[in-house]
Amino acid sequence: MTLTKDEAGPEDAGDSYAPSRRRIEREALKRARSRRATAIAAVSTLVTAVVLYLVVVNAPGWPRTKETFFSGQYAREAFPKVLEGLWLNVRLLFVCGAAVLVLGMLIAIARTLRGPVFFPLRVLAAAYTDFFRGLPLIINLMIVVLGVPALRLQGVTVDPVWLGGTALTLTYSAYVAEVFRAGIESVHPSQRAAARSLGLSNRQALRYVVLPQAVRRQVPPLLNDLVSLQKDTGLVSIGGAIDAVRAADIIVGRSLNYTPYIVAGLVFVALTIPMTRFTDWVTARMDRRRAQGGIA
């Protein structure tokens, strides 16, 4: 026997049933609204793109701009060199990203330590985050990349790649430390108290109870910081490192055509978009789990 959902009783919950007419109508209405919204969005996007295209190509200076910034000849010349330099940016991202996460976590833990004996450590951690969050990254890079070699310290590298990576790590560690600290402080004190009541020490409670929850909650902002770090690796070129930006700059200096900059920018965008979409996916997934009660 086949029952509609409205007619089926508790004893028939396991039997198959046909959806009611009202439910079918609701689903059809939802699909129609979805198709209509998609069509409107597609048409409005197309119209906007056409209007922008017409405005740009009909501008008085478009022919000169096209030749200077969108030259196919210089784009073909620049692309392999920019791609080769991008490998340096990718390596900097992985190395500096790992260093930033470790140093940021240590600074965040230092800022959240309790007890008067840790007061000097808390002050130093707070001073570090305040200083490097306030200092512009470009100035930090210039100080480290240009200032350290001027000191002529024995055993200290003067490689602009290492010095640039150090400057990036110093700056981004301050931001990531605040992200971690916010996650640690978002964990309710009862969690730590419960862990202590079970016999865990303060250190064990922090490691096994507080930090896992704090890191899990802060994954989206951490990924956003890594996306920003990926873009800012291009700033190491101010010290002479041949990355994607510097490779484009060399061609621009020789040809006085700015197309290589456009190529380098598009390459960075192509590298950033997957990371951004992954961040959005992780954020949406965590929001769904939190709404279902599956995550703290």
Side-chain angles (χ1 to χ4, degrees), residues 119-183:
F119 177 76
L121 197 58
R122 292 197 298 270
V123 170
L124 288 176
Y128 177 94
T129 55
D130 289 344
F131 179 78
F132 282 105
R133 289 175 70 197
L135 183 68
L137 175 58
I138 189 69
I139 295 179
N140 186 18
L141 279 162
M142 289 181 177
I143 292 173
V144 176
V145 174
L146 304 178
V148 171
L151 295 175
R152 299 181 181 180
L153 298 174
Q154 295 295 326
V156 177
T157 182
V158 295
D159 188 338
V161 175
W162 284 99
L163 294 177
T166 300
L168 289 172
T169 301
L170 291 173
T171 295
Y172 272 89
S173 294
Y175 289 98
V176 170
E178 288 300 283
V179 173
F180 278 132
R181 185 170 73 94

Side-chain angles (χ1 to χ4, degrees), residues 3 8-17:
L3 302 175
E11 67 278 1
D12 301 310
D15 297 338
S16 61
Y17 64 88

Side-chain angles (χ1 to χ4, degrees), residues 222-256:
L222 288 174
L223 290 174
N224 280 321
D225 283 335
L226 290 180
V227 170
S228 297
L229 175 63
Q230 182 269 319
K231 294 182 295 183
D232 285 340
T233 55
L235 294 176
V236 299
S237 61
I238 66 173
I242 308 298
D243 70 326
V245 177
R246 182 59 178 167
D249 189 55
I250 292 173
I251 300 175
V252 170
R254 184 179 68 248
S255 64
L256 297 180

Side-chain angles (χ1 to χ4, degrees), residues 101-120:
L101 291 176
V102 173
L103 183 57
M105 175 65 77
L106 293 177
I107 296 171
I109 293 174
R111 291 203 65 181
T112 57
L113 290 175
R114 301 178 179 180
V117 69
F118 296 114
F119 177 76

Side-chain angles (χ1 to χ4, degrees), residues 84-100:
E84 182 180 352
L86 185 68
W87 175 233
L88 174 60
N89 298 104
V90 173
R91 285 180 290 168
L92 277 171
L93 171 64
F94 283 105
V95 174
C96 294
V100 163

